[in-house]
Amino acid sequence: MGRYKKENERSSKNKIEMIDFLNRVKLVALVLIVVTGLFVYFFIYNAMVKESKTSMVEKFQESGNLNHYMIKYSIDRAKEGTKSLSSRTMIKEAIVDYLDGKKSLEELKTYSQDKYLEGVKALDNIIYAERIVEGESIVKYTRADKSISQASLEKIISEDSMLIDINEGDSRLEIYSPIKKDQEIIGHDYLVYTIRHELDSLSGEKVKVELTSHDDHIQLLENSQILESNGDRFLLQTDKSFYVLSKIEGKYLYTKISKLDLFED
């Protein structure tokens, strides 16, 4: 009897020790799982998420920079088209003949009409064009309910080199271009282009591309965190959005996306 009792006690003790050992193993395994999970979450998953978000912001910045070059390209094309129009030889020589008294004002207008309009209609995005010689309107083209203002007329006459002005309110590009013969100014062209559809084509459901004034761009800078800057180009962050802001012909262009839309995936 005593022998069986001792064997039973020994067996029970071994079972308890085995259970204690298994419980310790389970506890160690649980601790390892928790520690591994925390390590993976804080050091691997978070790093991957952060890297993914950084990559998304960088791609957005690249998109904003590309938008800047696309709008600048449209403006440069308008400048080249205006320069070409102002230097067309035949209608420029007609101005010289008028100033020399070889043509009357009406003859100049009649001669310039078709040739000028032909050149204007070849320009992309043009909505208004007018040629001024000695304060007189020689020929005019318009696709909008617009006429030249007195301020624009005065500016035209005073300019001796091409002047670019962007009206951000209605997304129009105004170009004042002197007509020169042997470095002498003999007239001026005033051309207005729209860049509205370029801005709209670059914008989308989530991304907005728009022009802003000097005052509005200052306000945006003051109320944003500057993540990166390069001259007149900025990557900005507000509580809700990211912006790529860049200077273009004295005004500013921005590309904007909300953080929710950028990181929604």
Side-chain angles (χ1 to χ4, degrees):
M1 293 290 291
R3 180 182 174 184
Y4 288 116
K5 184 177 179 181
K6 288 180 180 180
E7 288 179 353
N8 287 335
E9 288 176 351
R10 188 180 300 113
S11 176
S12 297
K13 183 178 180 181
N14 288 339
K15 287 180 180 179
I16 291 172
E17 288 176 350
M18 180 62 69
I19 291 172
D20 288 342
F21 174 75
L22 290 174
N23 285 337
R24 286 196 297 272
V25 170
K26 289 179 181 178
L27 180 61
V28 170
L30 180 61
V31 170
L32 286 174
I33 290 171
V34 171
V35 170
T36 302
L38 291 174
F39 177 83
V40 169
Y41 178 79
F42 286 106
F43 293 96
I44 298 179
Y45 176 74
N46 273 358
M48 290 175 63
V49 170
K50 184 177 180 181
E51 183 177 350
S52 176
K53 288 187 174 181
T54 300
S55 177
M56 291 177 183
V57 173
E58 288 175 350
K59 288 181 180 179
F60 166 70
Q61 184 178 16
E62 290 173 2
S63 174
N65 290 337
L66 180 60
N67 292 339
H68 169 89
Y69 289 119
M70 293 293 288
I71 296 299
K72 187 176 185 303
Y73 174 72
S74 294
I75 293 174
D76 287 344
R77 284 190 65 188
K79 290 163 64 175
E80 288 301 316
T82 301
K83 182 179 178 181
S84 175
L85 183 67
S86 296
S87 61
R88 297 191 99 186
T89 303
M90 292 181 67
I91 47 179
K92 183 163 65 173
E93 290 299 331
I95 297 175
V96 175
D97 288 344
Y98 164 71
L99 295 175
D100 288 343
K102 298 177 182 178
K103 274 184 174 21
S104 68
L105 181 60
E106 290 306 314
E107 287 174 328
L108 174 61
K109 290 181 179 181
T110 300
Y111 183 85
S112 302
Q113 183 74 19
D114 291 341
K115 293 178 177 60
Y116 188 80
L117 295 182
E118 179 186 10
V120 169
K121 291 176 182 179
L123 302 175
D124 293 332
N125 305 321
I126 190 74
I127 59 174
Y128 185 90
E130 187 164 5
R131 173 157 289 188
I132 307 294
V133 176
E134 293 190 325
E136 294 285 348
S137 176
I138 305 303
V139 57
K140 180 165 65 174
Y141 168 85
T142 181
R143 287 178 52 195
D145 183 17
K146 179 177 177 59
S147 60
I148 191 168
S149 66
Q150 183 61 35
S152 293
L153 182 60
E154 291 174 359
K155 185 177 288 189
I156 284 174
I157 296 172
S158 67
E159 290 302 320
D160 60 1
S161 60
M162 183 178 286
L163 174 67
I164 313 294
D165 187 25
I166 296 178
N167 185 323
E168 69 279 1
D170 54 16
S171 307
R172 290 180 176 179
L173 175 70
E174 300 182 4
I175 302 183
Y176 304 85
S177 176
I179 306 164
K180 294 184 178 181
K181 174 68 174 179
D182 299 329
Q183 302 304 312
E184 180 184 355
I185 296 175
I186 59 175
H188 290 83
D189 285 321
Y190 171 63
L191 277 70
V192 182
Y193 299 81
T194 178
I195 53 176
R196 180 70 263 163
H197 75 273
E198 274 94 346
L199 295 170
D200 290 342
S201 68
L202 296 173
S203 297
E205 185 179 345
K206 299 175 183 179
V207 177
K208 183 177 182 181
V209 182
E210 197 57 81
L211 292 162
T212 186
S213 67
H214 177 77
D215 291 342
D216 288 341
H217 116 269
I218 292 295
Q219 185 176 3
L220 179 58
L221 283 174
E222 290 176 347
N223 293 287
S224 303
Q225 177 187 0
I226 300 177
L227 301 179
E228 189 175 322
S229 64
N230 182 11
D232 290 320
R233 196 168 303 174
F234 303 90
L235 174 62
L236 307 175
Q237 175 180 232
T238 64
D239 291 340
K240 296 182 178 180
S241 301
F242 288 103
Y243 292 81
V244 175
L245 182 68
S246 57
K247 191 173 184 180
I248 188 164
E249 295 294 344
K251 299 295 172 69
Y252 283 81
L253 178 78
Y254 70 77
T255 300
K256 173 187 176 183
I257 190 169
S258 75
K259 292 180 178 179
L260 288 177
D261 286 332
L262 184 61
F263 301 139
E264 67 175 357
D265 295 332

